[in-house]
Amino acid sequence: MKKSRFLKIILFISFLGIFTGCQNPTNNIDQNKKQSEVNKTQDMDTNEKTLVVYFSQTGTTKRLAEYAADILNADIYEIIAAEPYTKEDLAYYTNGRADQEQSDPSVRPQISGEIKNMEEYDRIILGYPIWHSQAPKIIITFLEKYDFSKKTIIPFCTSHSSGIGSSASHLHEYTAPTTTWLEGKRFGGETSKKEIEEFLNNIID
Ligand SMILES: Cc1cc2nc3c(=O)[nH]c(=O)nc-3n(C[C@H](O)[C@H](O)[C@H](O)COP(=O)(O)O)c2cc1C
């Protein structure tokens, strides 16, 4: 083989080597980047911190909220009225305190105590009983009290027989437009822990 042709072949092989050598690390970086982005998203999902918040006067919502906190290993907070509701207050269709509050749009029953570390939570599971087809007014007090603009809220309610109806969607206007509201569900008094688990599994990815 002529010396010049031999040199050309060597040059061509070197060129191929340089070319492929330049390409592979770039591909690896891209692949690593994609991989780390996926991991980051997964980490973010598993790092979502949940707070279960509930208001309950006869224990039905409380029991389900405790199931949810147990299933998700989440913190739990009870909304307690500054002025406790008596049995008479809760007797509905008597024009008692609860009846009057539900028919007055300006009422905001005060809450006893507060959540000091609300900014730590990404997701709020919000449980309440249905009072005259809506959430009790104290739930609005709660929503107006904190900043939910970067949070996801998952509502659920308990009732004698009414569905969740518009009770959850009516609450949206009391939080920032950037708050993410997921679809809620109504539960009856006989609801099992398994049913709460199914609800949470379906709604939380
Ligand atoms: C003032 C008041 C109004 C209520 N309105 C309704 C209603 O419109 N529909 C319904 O099915 N149950 C209604 N209930 C029943 C409660 O929603 C139900 O008993 C609920 O599960 C109670 O939850 P708790 O034990 O967590 O307080 C009402 C109860 C009260 C005290």
Side-chain angles (χ1 to χ4, degrees), residues 155-194:
F156 79 88
C157 67
T158 70
S159 74
H160 177 64
S161 58
S162 304
I164 194 162
S166 60
S167 71
S169 59
H170 275 169
L171 298 174
H172 297 193
E173 65 179 285
Y174 301 100
T175 56
T178 51
T179 304
T180 304
W181 282 87
L182 300 188
E183 203 181 328
K185 196 172 165 147
R186 175 262 170 192
F187 296 96
E190 303 301 309
T191 303
S192 67
K193 190 171 183 180
K194 195 164 181 291

Short mmCIF file of all heavy atoms in Angstrom, two decimals, residues 155-194:
data_model
loop_
_atom_site.label_atom_id
_atom_site.label_comp_id
_atom_site.label_asym_id
_atom_site.label_seq_id
_atom_site.Cartn_x
_atom_site.Cartn_y
_atom_site.Cartn_z
N PRO A 155 -61.28 17.80 48.98
CA PRO A 155 -62.38 17.85 49.95
C PRO A 155 -63.10 16.50 50.06
O PRO A 155 -63.14 15.73 49.11
CB PRO A 155 -63.31 18.90 49.33
CG PRO A 155 -63.03 18.85 47.87
CD PRO A 155 -61.66 18.27 47.64
N PHE A 156 -63.64 16.25 51.24
CA PHE A 156 -64.59 15.15 51.39
C PHE A 156 -65.60 15.56 52.43
O PHE A 156 -65.33 16.44 53.26
CB PHE A 156 -63.89 13.82 51.75
CG PHE A 156 -63.49 13.67 53.19
CD1 PHE A 156 -64.37 13.15 54.14
CD2 PHE A 156 -62.23 14.04 53.62
CE1 PHE A 156 -64.00 13.03 55.47
CE2 PHE A 156 -61.85 13.92 54.95
CZ PHE A 156 -62.74 13.40 55.88
N CYS A 157 -66.79 14.99 52.36
CA CYS A 157 -67.81 15.37 53.34
C CYS A 157 -68.56 14.14 53.82
O CYS A 157 -68.48 13.07 53.21
CB CYS A 157 -68.78 16.37 52.72
SG CYS A 157 -69.78 15.70 51.40
N THR A 158 -69.25 14.32 54.94
CA THR A 158 -70.16 13.28 55.42
C THR A 158 -71.53 13.91 55.53
O THR A 158 -71.65 15.13 55.68
CB THR A 158 -69.73 12.70 56.79
OG1 THR A 158 -69.92 13.70 57.80
CG2 THR A 158 -68.29 12.24 56.79
N SER A 159 -72.56 13.09 55.44
CA SER A 159 -73.92 13.62 55.54
C SER A 159 -74.86 12.50 55.92
O SER A 159 -74.50 11.31 55.87
CB SER A 159 -74.35 14.21 54.19
OG SER A 159 -74.62 13.18 53.28
N HIS A 160 -76.07 12.90 56.25
CA HIS A 160 -77.11 11.91 56.52
C HIS A 160 -77.49 11.23 55.21
O HIS A 160 -77.52 10.01 55.11
CB HIS A 160 -78.31 12.62 57.16
CG HIS A 160 -79.46 11.71 57.41
ND1 HIS A 160 -79.38 10.65 58.28
CD2 HIS A 160 -80.70 11.69 56.89
CE1 HIS A 160 -80.53 10.01 58.28
NE2 HIS A 160 -81.35 10.62 57.44
N SER A 161 -77.76 12.05 54.18
CA SER A 161 -78.14 11.46 52.89
C SER A 161 -77.72 12.32 51.69
O SER A 161 -77.56 11.80 50.58
CB SER A 161 -79.65 11.25 52.82
OG SER A 161 -80.30 12.49 53.02
N SER A 162 -77.52 13.63 51.88
CA SER A 162 -77.18 14.51 50.74
C SER A 162 -75.84 14.14 50.13
O SER A 162 -74.92 13.70 50.85
CB SER A 162 -77.09 15.97 51.20
OG SER A 162 -78.28 16.37 51.82
N GLY A 163 -75.71 14.38 48.81
CA GLY A 163 -74.44 14.19 48.14
C GLY A 163 -73.53 15.40 48.39
O GLY A 163 -73.96 16.36 49.04
N ILE A 164 -72.33 15.34 47.84
CA ILE A 164 -71.40 16.47 48.04
C ILE A 164 -71.90 17.71 47.28
O ILE A 164 -71.64 18.85 47.68
CB ILE A 164 -69.94 16.09 47.64
CG1 ILE A 164 -68.95 17.14 48.18
CG2 ILE A 164 -69.79 15.89 46.15
CD1 ILE A 164 -67.52 16.68 48.23
N GLY A 165 -72.69 17.47 46.23
CA GLY A 165 -73.33 18.56 45.48
C GLY A 165 -72.37 19.68 45.14
O GLY A 165 -71.25 19.44 44.68
N SER A 166 -72.82 20.92 45.41
CA SER A 166 -71.98 22.08 45.12
C SER A 166 -71.18 22.51 46.35
O SER A 166 -70.53 23.54 46.33
CB SER A 166 -72.86 23.24 44.66
OG SER A 166 -73.78 23.55 45.69
N SER A 167 -71.26 21.72 47.43
CA SER A 167 -70.63 22.15 48.69
C SER A 167 -69.13 22.39 48.53
O SER A 167 -68.59 23.33 49.12
CB SER A 167 -70.89 21.14 49.81
OG SER A 167 -70.16 19.96 49.60
N ALA A 168 -68.47 21.57 47.73
CA ALA A 168 -67.02 21.76 47.54
C ALA A 168 -66.73 22.87 46.54
O ALA A 168 -65.90 23.75 46.80
CB ALA A 168 -66.39 20.45 47.09
N SER A 169 -67.45 22.87 45.39
CA SER A 169 -67.16 23.90 44.37
C SER A 169 -67.47 25.30 44.88
O SER A 169 -66.81 26.26 44.49
CB SER A 169 -67.89 23.60 43.06
OG SER A 169 -69.27 23.56 43.30
N HIS A 170 -68.42 25.42 45.80
CA HIS A 170 -68.72 26.74 46.38
C HIS A 170 -67.57 27.27 47.24
O HIS A 170 -67.50 28.46 47.51
CB HIS A 170 -70.00 26.68 47.22
CG HIS A 170 -71.24 26.86 46.41
ND1 HIS A 170 -72.50 26.63 46.88
CD2 HIS A 170 -71.41 27.27 45.12
CE1 HIS A 170 -73.39 26.87 45.93
NE2 HIS A 170 -72.74 27.25 44.85
N LEU A 171 -66.68 26.36 47.64
CA LEU A 171 -65.55 26.79 48.49
C LEU A 171 -64.39 27.37 47.66
O LEU A 171 -63.54 28.08 48.20
CB LEU A 171 -65.05 25.62 49.33
CG LEU A 171 -66.05 25.02 50.34
CD1 LEU A 171 -65.46 23.77 50.98
CD2 LEU A 171 -66.42 26.05 51.41
N HIS A 172 -64.38 27.06 46.36
CA HIS A 172 -63.24 27.46 45.53
C HIS A 172 -62.99 28.97 45.57
O HIS A 172 -61.86 29.41 45.54
CB HIS A 172 -63.44 27.03 44.07
CG HIS A 172 -63.50 25.54 43.90
ND1 HIS A 172 -63.41 24.93 42.67
CD2 HIS A 172 -63.66 24.54 44.78
CE1 HIS A 172 -63.51 23.62 42.82
NE2 HIS A 172 -63.67 23.37 44.09
N GLU A 173 -64.09 29.73 45.61
CA GLU A 173 -63.94 31.20 45.52
C GLU A 173 -63.26 31.80 46.76
O GLU A 173 -62.88 32.96 46.74
CB GLU A 173 -65.30 31.86 45.31
CG GLU A 173 -66.26 31.70 46.48
CD GLU A 173 -67.60 32.40 46.24
OE1 GLU A 173 -67.64 33.62 46.32
OE2 GLU A 173 -68.59 31.67 45.97
N TYR A 174 -63.11 31.01 47.82
CA TYR A 174 -62.48 31.53 49.04
C TYR A 174 -60.98 31.26 49.09
O TYR A 174 -60.32 31.56 50.08
CB TYR A 174 -63.19 30.98 50.28
CG TYR A 174 -64.66 31.34 50.27
CD1 TYR A 174 -65.63 30.43 49.87
CD2 TYR A 174 -65.07 32.63 50.59
CE1 TYR A 174 -66.98 30.78 49.82
CE2 TYR A 174 -66.41 33.00 50.54
CZ TYR A 174 -67.35 32.07 50.15
OH TYR A 174 -68.68 32.43 50.08
N THR A 175 -60.46 30.63 48.02
CA THR A 175 -59.01 30.42 47.95
C THR A 175 -58.50 31.11 46.68
O THR A 175 -59.29 31.49 45.81
CB THR A 175 -58.67 28.91 47.88
OG1 THR A 175 -59.36 28.33 46.77
CG2 THR A 175 -59.06 28.18 49.16
N ALA A 176 -57.19 31.24 46.58
CA ALA A 176 -56.57 31.90 45.42
C ALA A 176 -56.90 31.11 44.14
O ALA A 176 -57.09 29.89 44.20
CB ALA A 176 -55.07 31.97 45.61
N PRO A 177 -56.95 31.80 42.98
CA PRO A 177 -57.25 31.09 41.73
C PRO A 177 -56.23 30.01 41.39
O PRO A 177 -56.54 29.08 40.64
CB PRO A 177 -57.20 32.21 40.67
CG PRO A 177 -57.26 33.49 41.42
CD PRO A 177 -56.74 33.24 42.80
N THR A 178 -55.03 30.11 41.95
CA THR A 178 -53.99 29.12 41.66
C THR A 178 -54.07 27.88 42.56
O THR A 178 -53.29 26.94 42.39
CB THR A 178 -52.59 29.75 41.82
OG1 THR A 178 -52.55 30.39 43.11
CG2 THR A 178 -52.29 30.75 40.73
N THR A 179 -55.01 27.88 43.47
CA THR A 179 -55.18 26.69 44.33
C THR A 179 -55.73 25.55 43.47
O THR A 179 -56.62 25.76 42.64
CB THR A 179 -56.18 26.99 45.47
OG1 THR A 179 -55.72 28.11 46.20
CG2 THR A 179 -56.34 25.79 46.40
N THR A 180 -55.18 24.37 43.66
CA THR A 180 -55.69 23.20 42.92
C THR A 180 -56.71 22.47 43.78
O THR A 180 -56.36 21.98 44.86
CB THR A 180 -54.52 22.23 42.56
OG1 THR A 180 -53.54 22.97 41.85
CG2 THR A 180 -55.00 21.06 41.73
N TRP A 181 -57.92 22.43 43.31
CA TRP A 181 -58.99 21.69 44.00
C TRP A 181 -59.23 20.39 43.26
O TRP A 181 -59.54 20.41 42.06
CB TRP A 181 -60.29 22.50 44.02
CG TRP A 181 -60.33 23.60 45.03
CD1 TRP A 181 -59.89 24.88 44.89
CD2 TRP A 181 -60.88 23.53 46.36
NE1 TRP A 181 -60.13 25.60 46.04
CE2 TRP A 181 -60.75 24.80 46.96
CE3 TRP A 181 -61.49 22.50 47.11
CZ2 TRP A 181 -61.18 25.08 48.26
CZ3 TRP A 181 -61.93 22.78 48.41
CH2 TRP A 181 -61.76 24.05 48.97
N LEU A 182 -59.11 19.27 43.94
CA LEU A 182 -59.42 17.98 43.31
C LEU A 182 -60.88 17.63 43.64
O LEU A 182 -61.47 18.20 44.56
CB LEU A 182 -58.48 16.89 43.79
CG LEU A 182 -56.98 17.12 43.51
CD1 LEU A 182 -56.17 15.88 43.88
CD2 LEU A 182 -56.72 17.49 42.05
N GLU A 183 -61.41 16.69 42.87
CA GLU A 183 -62.82 16.34 43.06
C GLU A 183 -63.02 15.61 44.39
O GLU A 183 -62.27 14.68 44.72
CB GLU A 183 -63.28 15.45 41.90
CG GLU A 183 -64.77 15.51 41.72
CD GLU A 183 -65.22 14.61 40.58
OE1 GLU A 183 -64.46 14.45 39.60
OE2 GLU A 183 -66.32 14.08 40.68
N GLY A 184 -64.00 16.04 45.13
CA GLY A 184 -64.24 15.43 46.44
C GLY A 184 -65.28 14.33 46.40
O GLY A 184 -65.80 13.98 45.34
N LYS A 185 -65.58 13.80 47.56
CA LYS A 185 -66.55 12.70 47.64
C LYS A 185 -67.32 12.76 48.95
O LYS A 185 -66.77 13.21 49.96
CB LYS A 185 -65.78 11.37 47.53
CG LYS A 185 -66.65 10.21 47.21
CD LYS A 185 -65.84 8.96 46.92
CE LYS A 185 -66.82 7.81 47.00
NZ LYS A 185 -66.68 6.74 46.23
N ARG A 186 -68.56 12.30 48.90
CA ARG A 186 -69.39 12.24 50.10
C ARG A 186 -69.38 10.82 50.66
O ARG A 186 -69.38 9.84 49.91
CB ARG A 186 -70.83 12.66 49.73
CG ARG A 186 -71.83 12.54 50.83
CD ARG A 186 -72.62 11.24 50.72
NE ARG A 186 -73.42 11.04 51.92
CZ ARG A 186 -74.02 9.90 52.22
NH1 ARG A 186 -73.93 8.86 51.42
NH2 ARG A 186 -74.71 9.80 53.32
N PHE A 187 -69.34 10.73 51.98
CA PHE A 187 -69.36 9.44 52.65
C PHE A 187 -70.46 9.42 53.70
O PHE A 187 -70.77 10.43 54.32
CB PHE A 187 -68.01 9.16 53.34
CG PHE A 187 -66.87 9.05 52.37
CD1 PHE A 187 -66.06 10.15 52.11
CD2 PHE A 187 -66.61 7.86 51.72
CE1 PHE A 187 -65.02 10.07 51.20
CE2 PHE A 187 -65.57 7.76 50.80
CZ PHE A 187 -64.77 8.86 50.55
N GLY A 188 -71.01 8.25 53.93
CA GLY A 188 -72.03 8.07 54.97
C GLY A 188 -71.38 7.61 56.27
O GLY A 188 -70.17 7.35 56.34
N GLY A 189 -72.21 7.47 57.28
CA GLY A 189 -71.73 7.11 58.61
C GLY A 189 -71.09 5.73 58.71
O GLY A 189 -70.30 5.48 59.61
N GLU A 190 -71.45 4.83 57.79
CA GLU A 190 -70.95 3.45 57.88
C GLU A 190 -69.65 3.22 57.10
O GLU A 190 -69.21 2.08 56.96
CB GLU A 190 -72.01 2.46 57.35
CG GLU A 190 -73.36 2.53 58.04
CD GLU A 190 -73.25 2.25 59.54
OE1 GLU A 190 -72.64 1.23 59.90
OE2 GLU A 190 -73.75 3.07 60.33
N THR A 191 -69.08 4.29 56.60
CA THR A 191 -67.90 4.16 55.71
C THR A 191 -66.73 3.45 56.42
O THR A 191 -66.40 3.76 57.56
CB THR A 191 -67.46 5.56 55.23
OG1 THR A 191 -68.56 6.15 54.57
CG2 THR A 191 -66.28 5.49 54.29
N SER A 192 -66.12 2.51 55.69
CA SER A 192 -64.99 1.75 56.25
C SER A 192 -63.67 2.41 55.89
O SER A 192 -63.60 3.23 54.97
CB SER A 192 -65.01 0.32 55.70
OG SER A 192 -64.73 0.36 54.31
N LYS A 193 -62.63 2.00 56.57
CA LYS A 193 -61.27 2.52 56.29
C LYS A 193 -60.85 2.15 54.86
O LYS A 193 -60.18 2.93 54.19
CB LYS A 193 -60.29 1.92 57.31
CG LYS A 193 -58.92 2.56 57.28
CD LYS A 193 -58.08 2.08 58.44
CE LYS A 193 -56.74 2.78 58.44
NZ LYS A 193 -55.89 2.35 59.55
N LYS A 194 -61.30 0.96 54.43
CA LYS A 194 -60.95 0.50 53.08
C LYS A 194 -61.52 1.46 52.01
O LYS A 194 -60.86 1.76 51.02
CB LYS A 194 -61.48 -0.92 52.87
CG LYS A 194 -60.89 -1.63 51.68
CD LYS A 194 -61.16 -3.13 51.77
CE LYS A 194 -60.54 -3.86 50.60
NZ LYS A 194 -61.19 -3.58 49.33
#
